[in-house]
């Protein structure tokens, strides 16, 4: 008896000491959460502290690093029994989803619910990482018996900060300029963060638009872990304007039609549980507005399309909130207010998930069983033609499918389906083509990413409405209602490059080719490119083909071909050996139609007035994809630029006030006339079409709206007819405005692929149209490289009033100006760096156009 008491006494003493070592955030940090901002390193330190002192219930795992070297963490919290079996729980959950590699049977009974909470994806929406500190403390607090009950049948996964680089950019800035006390007045500088703000990651990317595309290192590392767990509930924490209260589920329409009734209903269940706590505290909130479930790359939709209950929670105060801010009602919203709201929904989510753990697991299992058994949607198979000319873009597509765990195979035979290029049902043959079956665990993702025309029940949507991958990647494909079985695996072919003593030719067909050419140019190797198609040694080459000859590269001696092969092999690019400059068809290599390719010295304008996302797309592309040097120049410093140091200037989306400043604008014009090449994108094209820019010699003109050219008399006659459609209801004002916009739709552009801006393309291109900007056809002084004609809309929503304008207009053009040139690219061909087929056009503008 005494021995038992002694053991119990020692156990209680040990437990007490352990609890005494485990500190709350306030005790550990030395300040109350919400009284100041917590830098990321202190968040990391606290999560390490908890993991070290609550080993029975917490596991901390670093899953990656940001671009700036900050750690990315996941914390797993559950009961001691569950933590002992954490890997077995994970594997069983993958079996429930039919995703495990082994064939063991899953166990549904008593399987715990898995709840994943993702904080601070937007760096300047800072309160959620503060809430993460409070949440993990409640889950490990030895005196909180309520959370201990929840954790008996629930595994909680906490990502305390998805975007540490953006958070620290904001927090370090704020802490450096805030006074002794926070100033709640919105005119104070602490509510006006400088460009580009803390919302985005290092490369100015919005990580909450990158879940499916995974263009960013943070996304790739995180989603790899996510797909190894496949939680049943996922929450993405955000902030909105300072005058908005709290938003939580259920989401607004439109819902994508792949979302099940169970997923919809449980959002309501969760929302009612949150409302209970918010009502008790007198906190305002709203549901079923603004934040829909449609675009597939958000932190709520991506989990939803992967079988989870995916949700966004939005607290007022992001960005301009500081540590305290006065809203329009005169109330002061503090950082603590914002954090406590997120903390409350965090615990409420865990609570309601625990209470419904059995149902969550059951419905999760049902979701994936149905996906495998019958597939989701009318199309049962998607086929991508495995054309040699599309090799690079096909490899990029397969890489995307691999990152998302989507299964595919190769197939041969015959089929019938919707032709993405013609928009018609057609018969087709398969010859080792890519087959993506809808009958697989990730069937919903397959449908969402590949369906030619998604159904849209409400046009008031939060993001783009079209993104079908065959259009985004510029690939030939079919969507078939039939089940077409693949017969083999798809393997990436490693090229074998033969030796040469005279020269090589390589097709200009994709980003890896661009990367190879860029690497050779940086080594000082002289390249040439063909301005016309040609044939040599039985191989056909189109415009833009790169020619590498011993001529003019003699200084490299025997090392020349070693360097060329090294670059091509590293990028898996096929080199075609040639032994003569005498071609079978076309122009010989010594012709004036075979032009030297000079290494461009490229600069990118950034800073105030420039779209941060647009600039970031280009910066990331040059550094991380084609590995080519680029100089970033703040647009406010353009008056101090030494123009001799650059010969290509990229102008991303922006307003460009300097075009109206005579001295700077004249210097810019002079540089172009002397041989400078401008690449203008999106809003930059619009800026160059303004009257002040036209005086500088830019001849692009915005297309006028229909009826704008009517003589005054005729216009007045039209007005004399009474139009009762003009009598609108005030409550419909927001929805009426939708008729004038497109949030993101796909149009087919007719391309002049004889122009250098369109080298490597067929005679068409699918563009993502996100505004009403189209331009007049050039009558003289320019080239109409890409135009939208009548009835060229392919997919997505376009307002009725806008449709008449989005036809018979220019979207891509080129103008010679003295010795220089301007490439006009009015749409975002780089959109979020997932619009793969547009990237080559930017490269054409940089490397070819105007040379």
């Amino acid at each position: 008896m005494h021995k038992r008491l002694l053991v119990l006494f020692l156990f209680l003493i040990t437990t007490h000491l352990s609890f005494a070592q485990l500190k709350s955030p306030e005790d550990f940090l030395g300040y109350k959460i919400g009284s100041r901002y917590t830098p990321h390193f202190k968040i990391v330190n606290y999560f390490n502290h908890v993991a070290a002192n609550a080993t029975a219930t917490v596991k901390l795992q670093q899953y990656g690093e940001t671009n700036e070297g900050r750690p990315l963490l996941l914390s797993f919290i559950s009961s001691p029994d569950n933590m002992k079996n954490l890997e077995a729980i994970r594997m069983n959950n993958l079996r429930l989803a039919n995703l495990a590699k082994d064939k063991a049977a899953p166990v549904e009974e008593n399987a715990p619910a898995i709840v994943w909470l993702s904080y601070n994806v937007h760096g300047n929406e800072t309160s959620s990482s503060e809430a993460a500190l409070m949440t993990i403390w409640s889950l490990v607090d030895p005196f909180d018996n309520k959370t201990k009950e929840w954790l008996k049948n629930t595994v909680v996964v906490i990502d305390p900060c998805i975007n540490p680089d953006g958070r620290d950019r904001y927090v370090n800035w704020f802490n450096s300029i805030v006074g002794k006390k926070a100033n709640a007045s919105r005119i104070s500088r602490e509510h006006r963060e400088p460009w580009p703000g803390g919302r985005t990651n290092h490369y100015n990317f919005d990580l909450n638009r990158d879940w499916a595309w995974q263009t960013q290192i943070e996304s790739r590392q995180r989603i790899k872990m996510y797909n190894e767990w496949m939680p049943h509930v996922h929450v993405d924490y955000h902030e909105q304007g300072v005058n908005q209260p709290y938003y939580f589920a259920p989401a607004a329409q439109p819902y994508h039609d792949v979302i099940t009734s169970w997923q919809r209903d449980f959002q309501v269940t969760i929302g009612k549980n949150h409302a209970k706590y918010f009502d008790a505290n007198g906190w305002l909130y709203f549901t079923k507005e603004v934040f829909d479930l449609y675009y597939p790359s958000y932190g709520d939709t991506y989990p939803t399309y992967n079988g989870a209950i995916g949700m966004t929670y939005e607290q007022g105060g992001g960005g301009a909130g500081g540590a305290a801010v006065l809203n329009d009602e005169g109330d002061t919203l503090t950082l603590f207010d914002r954090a406590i709201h997120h903390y409350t929904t965090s615990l409420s989510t865990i609570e309601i998930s625990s209470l419904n753990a059995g149902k969550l697991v059951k419905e999760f299992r049902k979701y994936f069983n149905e996906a495998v058994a019958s597939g989701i949607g009318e199309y049962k198979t998607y086929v991508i033609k495995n054309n040699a000319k599309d090799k690079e873009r096909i490899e990029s597509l397969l890489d995307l499918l691999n990152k998302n765990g989507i299964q595919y195979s190769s197939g041969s035979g015959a089929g019938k389906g919707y032709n993405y290029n013609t928009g018609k049902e057609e018969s087709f043959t398969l010859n080792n083509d890519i087959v993506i079956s809808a009958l697989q665990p990730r069937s919903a993702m397959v449908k969402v990413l590949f369906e030619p025309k998604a159904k849209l029940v409400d046009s008031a949507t939060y993001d783009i409405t079209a993104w079908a991958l065959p259009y985004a990647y510029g690939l030939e494909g079919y969507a078939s209602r039939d089940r077409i079985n693949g017969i083999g695996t798809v393997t990436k072919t490693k090229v074998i490059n033969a030796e040469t003593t005279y020269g090589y030719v390589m097709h200009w067909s994709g980003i890896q080719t661009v990367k190879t050419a860029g690497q050779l140019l940086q080594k000082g190797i002289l390249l040439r490119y063909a301005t016309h198609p040609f044939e040599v040694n039985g191989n056909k080459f189109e415009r833009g083909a790169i020619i590498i000859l011993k001529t003019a590269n003699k200084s490299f001696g025997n090392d020349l071909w070693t360097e060329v092969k090294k670059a091509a092999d590293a990028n898996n690019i096929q080199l075609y050996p040639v032994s003569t400059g005498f071609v079978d068809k076309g122009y010989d290599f010594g012709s004036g139609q075979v032009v030297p390719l000079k290494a461009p010295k490229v600069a990118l304008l950034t800073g105030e007035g420039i779209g941060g996302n647009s600039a970031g797309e280009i910066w990331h592309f040059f550094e991380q994809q084609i590995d080519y040097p680029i100089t970033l120049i703040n647009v406010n410093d353009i008056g101090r630029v030494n123009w001799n140091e650059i010969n290509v200037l990229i102008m991303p989306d922006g307003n460009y006030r300097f075009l109206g400043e005579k001295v700077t604008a004249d210097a810019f014009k002079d540089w172009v006339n002397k041989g400078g090449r401008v690449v203008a994108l999106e809003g930059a094209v619009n800026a160059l079409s303004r009257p002040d820019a036209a005086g500088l010699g830019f001849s692009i003109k915005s297309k006028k709206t229909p009826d704008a050219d009517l003589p005054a008399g005729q216009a007045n006659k039209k007005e004399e007819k009474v139009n009762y459609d003009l009598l609108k209801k005030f409550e419909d004002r927001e929805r009426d405005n939708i008729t004038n916009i497109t949030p993101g739709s796909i149009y087919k552009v007719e391309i002049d692929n004889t122009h250098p801006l369109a080298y490597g393309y067929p005679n068409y291109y699918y563009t993502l149209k996100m505004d009403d900007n189209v331009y007049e056809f050039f009558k003289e002084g320019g080239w109409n490289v890409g135009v939208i004609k009548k009835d060229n809309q392919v997919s997505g929503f376009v307002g009725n009033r806008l449709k008449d304008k989005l036809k018979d207009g220019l979207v891509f053009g080129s103008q010679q100006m003295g010795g220089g040139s301007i490439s006009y690219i009015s749409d975002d061909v780089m959109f979020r760096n997932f619009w793969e087929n547009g990237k080559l056009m930017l490269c054409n503008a940089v490397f070819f156009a105007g040379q």
Side-chain angles (χ1 to χ4, degrees):
M1 182 69 178
H2 292 294
K3 188 175 182 180
R4 289 181 181 176
L5 289 174
L6 180 61
V7 171
L8 178 61
F9 176 75
L10 291 173
F11 172 77
L12 291 173
I13 288 293
T14 304
T15 304
H16 175 76
L17 290 174
S18 176
F19 289 164
Q21 291 171 345
L22 184 60
K23 296 180 180 180
S24 69
E26 184 173 347
D27 290 337
F28 182 84
L29 297 169
Y31 55 86
K32 182 180 177 182
I33 293 296
S35 63
R36 68 177 72 171
Y37 278 116
T38 306
H40 182 254
F41 80 91
K42 289 189 176 182
I43 295 172
V44 172
N45 289 347
Y46 183 68
F47 271 74
N48 275 312
H49 162 77
V50 171
N53 291 281
T55 55
T57 57
V58 178
K59 175 187 175 183
L60 188 65
Q61 181 175 350
Q62 180 174 339
Y63 66 85
E65 272 190 357
T66 67
N67 287 291
E68 297 175 16
R70 294 181 176 87
L72 296 165
L73 304 176
L74 287 178
S75 186
F76 299 86
I77 311 103
S78 196
S79 68
D81 286 343
N82 286 336
M83 293 304 294
K84 291 176 185 176
N85 297 294
L86 193 62
E87 178 60 15
I89 290 171
R90 184 185 75 84
M91 285 302 302
N92 184 64
N93 195 58
L94 291 181
R95 295 184 191 110
L96 289 168
N98 299 308
L99 288 168
K101 294 181 180 179
D102 62 32
K103 301 298 181 182
V107 179
E108 182 180 311
E109 187 175 358
N110 296 325
I114 300 172
V115 177
W116 188 303
L117 308 177
S118 294
Y119 298 92
N120 219 157
V121 66
H122 291 149
N124 61 0
E125 298 174 7
T126 41
S127 67
S128 67
S129 282
E130 310 290 344
L133 298 168
M134 303 166 74
T135 301
I136 194 171
W137 168 244
S138 284
L139 295 178
V140 298
D141 182 355
F143 302 106
D144 192 330
N145 294 324
K146 191 161 52 174
T147 61
K148 303 300 175 293
E149 283 300 311
W150 301 341
L151 293 176
K152 288 179 180 178
N153 68 350
T154 307
V155 174
V156 178
V157 186
I158 291 179
D159 189 329
C161 187
I162 288 178
N163 183 9
D165 291 351
R167 177 183 174 83
D168 269 4
R169 188 185 312 128
Y170 176 84
V171 169
N172 292 338
W173 164 79
F174 182 86
N175 287 342
S176 73
I177 56 91
V178 71
K180 185 177 180 180
K181 293 183 179 180
N183 189 332
S185 172
R186 274 188 274 169
I187 65 171
S188 172
R189 66 176 184 170
E190 63 205 68
H191 302 291
R192 295 289 184 271
E193 59 179 316
W195 191 95
R199 177 184 177 90
T200 54
N201 78 342
H202 175 80
Y203 283 107
N204 303 353
F205 266 76
D206 187 333
L207 294 179
N208 191 42
R209 271 75 174 169
D210 195 45
W211 279 72
W213 320 129
Q214 300 173 51
T215 68
Q216 301 302 292
I217 191 170
E218 296 92 342
S219 303
R220 291 194 294 274
Q221 295 171 126
R222 181 182 72 257
I223 293 167
K224 181 177 184 293
M225 288 294 297
Y226 184 95
N227 285 332
E228 289 176 1
W229 274 92
M230 297 294 288
H232 310 134
V233 175
H234 179 268
V235 181
D236 194 26
Y237 289 85
H238 290 265
E239 292 188 82
Q240 52 192 331
V242 298
N243 292 309
Q244 301 299 317
Y246 200 95
Y247 162 83
F248 50 71
Q253 287 286 2
Y255 281 33
H256 198 287
D257 61 2
V258 301
I259 300 174
T260 67
S261 58
W262 157 252
Q263 289 174 315
R264 299 167 190 242
D265 292 344
F266 198 71
Q267 285 217 351
V268 175
T269 301
I270 288 177
K272 288 181 177 179
N273 204 58
H274 297 343
K276 175 178 65 178
Y277 293 105
F278 274 59
D279 290 342
N281 285 284
W283 299 335
L284 291 176
Y285 56 90
F286 67 95
T287 66
K288 303 183 289 292
E289 294 181 70
V290 183
F291 305 103
D292 58 64
L293 291 172
Y294 198 68
Y295 171 72
S297 206
Y298 283 127
D300 52 8
T301 50
Y302 185 87
T304 299
Y305 301 153
N306 278 281
I309 310 299
M311 295 167 293
T312 289
Y313 297 166
E314 295 266 357
Q315 163 63 45
V325 64
L326 276 170
N327 63 24
D328 287 351
E329 294 182 352
D331 287 338
T332 300
L333 178 66
T334 68
L335 177 59
F336 176 78
D337 295 332
R338 292 151 57 194
I340 199 70
H341 296 162
H342 271 328
Y343 163 70
T344 300
T345 56
S346 297
L347 293 190
S348 174
T349 300
I350 298 167
E351 176 191 43
I352 197 67
S353 299
S354 174
L355 293 174
N356 292 274
K359 183 67 170 173
L360 280 167
V361 172
K362 180 181 179 181
E363 291 292 336
F364 182 81
R365 173 66 170 155
K366 177 184 175 185
Y367 180 95
F368 287 99
N369 279 348
E370 291 179 351
V372 171
S374 58
I376 295 174
E378 61 179 312
Y379 296 113
K380 300 306 178 185
T381 311
Y382 300 89
V383 174
I384 299 297
K385 299 297 291 180
N386 198 6
N387 298 324
K389 63 182 178 61
D390 299 328
K391 171 181 171 289
E392 293 186 48
R393 293 192 304 282
I394 289 173
E395 289 178 353
S396 295
L397 174 66
L398 297 183
D399 181 57
L400 179 72
L401 300 184
N402 290 336
K403 286 186 289 191
N404 285 290
I406 292 173
Q407 301 164 7
Y408 55 88
S409 58
S410 65
S412 297
K416 183 179 181 180
Y418 178 92
N419 184 328
Y420 285 88
N421 284 339
T422 66
K424 299 176 181 178
E425 287 283 326
E426 296 176 2
S427 297
F428 59 90
T429 58
L430 295 90
N431 183 18
N432 290 322
D433 295 321
I434 313 299
V435 176
I436 304 107
S437 172
L439 281 70
Q440 61 170 294
R442 301 190 195 274
S443 182
M445 278 298 289
V446 170
K447 171 179 163 61
V448 170
L449 295 179
F450 281 92
E451 62 184 340
K453 297 177 185 288
K455 295 177 182 177
L456 189 65
V457 299
D458 191 331
S459 52
T461 182
Y462 197 65
D463 212 297
I464 64 172
T465 59
W467 51 79
L469 295 183
Y471 298 128
Y473 279 71
L475 299 172
E476 296 179 35
Y478 298 85
S480 177
R481 292 178 174 83
D482 301 325
R483 298 184 182 184
I484 300 174
N485 296 321
I487 57 174
T489 58
V490 179
T491 57
K492 184 176 180 179
T493 303
K494 182 67 176 175
V495 302
I496 299 175
N497 286 312
E499 300 291 336
T500 188
T501 57
Y502 180 85
Y504 285 117
V505 183
M506 61 181 180
H507 293 289
W508 184 259
S509 56
I511 301 311
Q512 293 305 107
T513 305
V514 175
K515 185 176 181 180
T516 303
Q519 289 170 343
L520 296 177
L521 288 171
Q522 290 178 72
K523 290 181 180 294
I525 295 174
L526 177 68
L527 308 180
R528 290 175 167 82
Y529 69 94
T531 62
H532 290 75
F534 66 93
E535 293 183 24
V536 63
N537 293 347
N539 296 308
K540 296 181 179 180
F541 297 93
E542 297 298 326
R543 292 176 174 87
I546 301 296
I547 301 165
I548 314 154
L549 302 176
K550 191 172 183 179
T551 303
N553 286 309
K554 293 178 181 178
S555 61
F556 285 89
N558 294 329
D559 292 335
L560 173 62
W561 305 126
T562 301
E563 292 293 339
V564 172
K565 284 186 63 180
K566 181 180 177 181
D569 289 347
N571 297 310
N572 203 36
I573 292 300
Q574 186 71 61
L575 297 172
Y576 295 85
V578 290
S579 57
T580 177
F582 191 91
V583 301
D584 302 325
K585 289 183 180 180
Y587 292 96
D588 296 328
F589 292 166
S591 167
Q593 302 300 322
V594 177
V595 183
L597 178 60
K598 300 174 183 178
K601 294 180 289 184
V602 187
L604 170 69
L605 291 180
T606 66
E608 296 291 342
I610 304 298
N613 295 140
S614 180
E617 289 167 358
I618 298 163
W619 180 24
H620 178 268
F621 177 68
F622 270 77
E623 287 201 346
Q624 296 295 329
Q625 290 194 264
I626 63 172
D627 192 23
Y628 194 84
I630 187 168
T631 300
L632 275 60
I633 300 173
N634 283 329
V635 68
N636 290 337
D637 294 331
I638 196 168
R640 294 190 285 271
V641 167
N642 180 354
W643 291 103
N644 294 323
E645 294 184 11
I646 61 173
N647 52 30
V648 175
L649 181 68
I650 301 177
M651 300 173 65
D653 191 29
N655 53 38
Y656 297 100
R657 289 181 300 230
F658 79 83
L659 293 171
E661 299 167 0
K662 180 172 174 48
V663 174
T664 306
D666 284 347
F668 174 56
K669 173 186 176 181
D670 184 60
W671 171 77
V672 176
N673 280 317
K674 289 179 178 178
R677 295 186 287 131
V678 175
V679 181
L681 298 116
E682 302 179 84
V685 178
N686 195 44
L688 294 176
S689 74
R690 297 194 308 246
D692 54 348
L696 297 172
F698 301 103
S699 54
I700 190 83
K701 293 181 180 179
S702 183
K703 185 173 182 285
K704 297 176 182 179
T705 55
D707 294 343
D709 290 328
L710 280 176
Q714 290 187 33
N716 289 334
K717 287 179 181 178
K718 288 176 71 70
E719 292 172 7
E720 289 173 4
K721 184 179 179 181
V722 177
N723 184 358
Y724 292 112
D725 290 339
L726 297 176
L727 304 177
K728 306 290 186 182
K729 284 190 175 182
F730 180 75
E731 68 175 357
D732 295 333
R733 62 195 182 281
E734 291 183 6
R735 188 162 295 280
D736 286 342
N737 187 54
I738 293 171
T739 62
N740 297 304
I741 67 170
T742 175
S745 56
I746 297 173
Y747 273 76
K748 190 172 186 177
V749 179
E750 296 192 21
I751 292 290
D752 173 9
N753 60 7
T754 69
H755 191 281
L757 188 58
Y759 283 174
Y761 286 94
N763 61 2
Y764 59 88
Y765 169 83
Y766 292 101
T767 193
L768 184 64
K769 207 85 193 70
M770 295 184 294
D771 56 34
D772 61 353
N773 290 326
V774 290
Y775 297 86
E776 299 282 351
F777 296 146
F778 284 115
K779 296 177 182 177
E780 56 184 28
W783 297 99
N784 302 296
V785 181
V787 300
I788 294 176
K789 295 185 179 179
K790 295 179 181 178
D791 301 322
N792 272 20
Q793 182 190 354
V794 174
S795 179
F797 172 77
V798 180
N800 287 331
R801 294 180 187 172
L802 183 59
K803 287 183 179 180
D804 283 342
K805 183 179 181 182
L806 293 182
K807 63 182 181 182
D808 297 328
L810 178 143
V811 289
F812 308 132
S814 179
Q815 175 193 348
Q816 290 299 125
M817 188 168 157
S821 69
I822 306 96
S823 295
Y824 298 107
I825 302 176
S826 68
D827 289 339
D828 188 356
V829 294
M830 303 292 293
F831 185 68
R832 296 175 185 166
N833 270 20
F834 90 85
W835 205 262
E836 193 70 20
N837 198 32
K839 296 174 182 177
L840 190 63
M841 188 173 296
L842 175 66
C843 295
N844 288 342
V846 169
F847 287 93
F848 289 149
Q851 280 251 18

